[in-house]
Every structure is written in structure tokens, then in C-alpha cells.
Amino acid sequence: MTVVRWNPWREIDTLQRQINNLFEETITPSGSVERNLVRVPAAELQETDDAIHLKLELPGMSAKDLDIQVTEDAVHISGERKSETKTEQKGTIKSEFYYGQFQRIIPLSARVQNTKVTAEYKDGILNLTLPKADKERNKVVKVNLEQPTA
């Protein structure tokens, strides 16, 4: 039987390498792992008394490539960024842009009037104003506190 000496520093070194690899893969856009990830647009939600405001980041997308559907309790966004194919006979082209389809479903915290949604798309930023349903806007809930009997 062979005795193997345990070295705790070897395990820490292995862990350090794994952490470094993780950060390198997320920082480098041309990494092979990142090419396989599905990219979804970043979103920002803000809720007021009357409406929910949704802002989505969609740089480089044209409005005709987007499909936005709003239900009473969610927003469904899908689209496709199409590749602009350019070929050169003698040169090499390297691209770090992502091309392909995406889909994102954003659940809403309150019911909205999906027939009265307004949208603005400018400079790659989509702003949706989702008015709350009347019953959600005026909803007040009374909480009764019962004291335990001793």
C-alpha cells in the first residue's frame, strides 16, 4: 500500500485556478464557453401607483426584429439579431458580436391592462409603460391582528 502525503495547498491551488478560469470565461467575449450561452436583454422594472415601467436594453436591434407580447401578468419578448455577412478574399474577419435568437419572459408584480400598453424604442432602449388594472390600482388590504389569549 502506497502512502500519499496530503497537501492542503494543492487543493487551494486547484480551487484558485478554477475561480480564475470562471472569471476569464465571463470577461472574454470570444471564449468558447460564452458562444454557447443564450443572451437575453437586460431589464429594469420600476413600479408606481398607476403603472409598471419596464426598460430593456436591446442594442443593435431594429424594431422589426422584435416581438413583444403582454399578458395581464407577464411580458414576453423575443427577437433575432441577424448576422451581416461580409466576406473578404484576402483578409480575416473576427467578430465578437452575438447573433441569433433570444427570448425572455418577465413576470409582473401586479396585473396590468395589456390593451393600453405604450412603447417607445430609441437608441437600443425599449421603454414599456404598463398601466395597472383598476382593481390592482385601488387594492387596499386590511390586516387584522389577533392577540393570543393567555
Side-chain angles (χ1 to χ4, degrees):
M1 175 179 204
T2 306
V3 176
V4 177
R5 179 175 265 180
W6 180 65
N7 184 353
W9 297 111
R10 180 178 297 155
E11 291 181 25
I12 292 174
D13 288 340
T14 302
L15 179 62
Q16 182 68 44
R17 275 193 310 278
Q18 290 173 346
I19 291 172
N20 288 341
N21 289 338
L22 176 69
F23 284 113
E24 286 173 9
E25 289 171 356
T26 58
I27 292 173
T28 308
S30 60
S32 60
V33 173
E34 189 158 329
R35 283 189 201 137
N36 296 328
L37 294 178
V38 176
R39 298 196 187 198
V40 293
E44 183 177 285
L45 272 173
Q46 180 183 9
E47 186 172 349
T48 63
D49 292 336
D50 298 329
I52 296 174
H53 301 277
L54 175 62
K55 184 190 287 187
L56 288 150
E57 187 179 46
L58 299 160
M61 300 285 301
S62 67
K64 65 180 171 102
D65 293 331
L66 297 173
D67 181 31
I68 304 162
Q69 299 177 12
V70 180
T71 63
E72 291 180 344
D73 57 358
V75 176
H76 304 259
I77 299 159
S78 61
E80 181 176 6
R81 180 177 290 163
K82 297 178 181 163
S83 173
E84 301 171 8
T85 308
K86 295 180 182 177
T87 57
E88 288 185 26
Q89 293 178 350
K90 296 182 181 179
T92 302
I93 296 176
K94 180 179 179 182
S95 176
E96 293 182 351
F97 287 5
Y98 171 78
Y99 298 103
Q101 296 180 345
F102 69 88
Q103 178 179 348
R104 181 157 187 192
I105 299 172
I106 301 170
L108 301 173
S109 58
R111 295 218 176 265
V112 297
Q113 298 177 25
N114 58 345
T115 57
K116 296 185 179 181
V117 174
T118 58
E120 177 188 350
Y121 185 60
K122 183 179 178 185
D123 298 330
I125 303 293
L126 173 66
N127 288 298
L128 295 175
T129 302
L130 308 145
K132 289 184 180 178
D134 290 331
K135 62 182 177 182
E136 291 290 334
R137 195 179 315 157
N138 299 323
K139 189 175 184 179
V140 176
V141 178
K142 181 170 175 55
V143 177
N144 293 321
L145 296 176
E146 294 183 19
Q147 295 188 3
T149 53

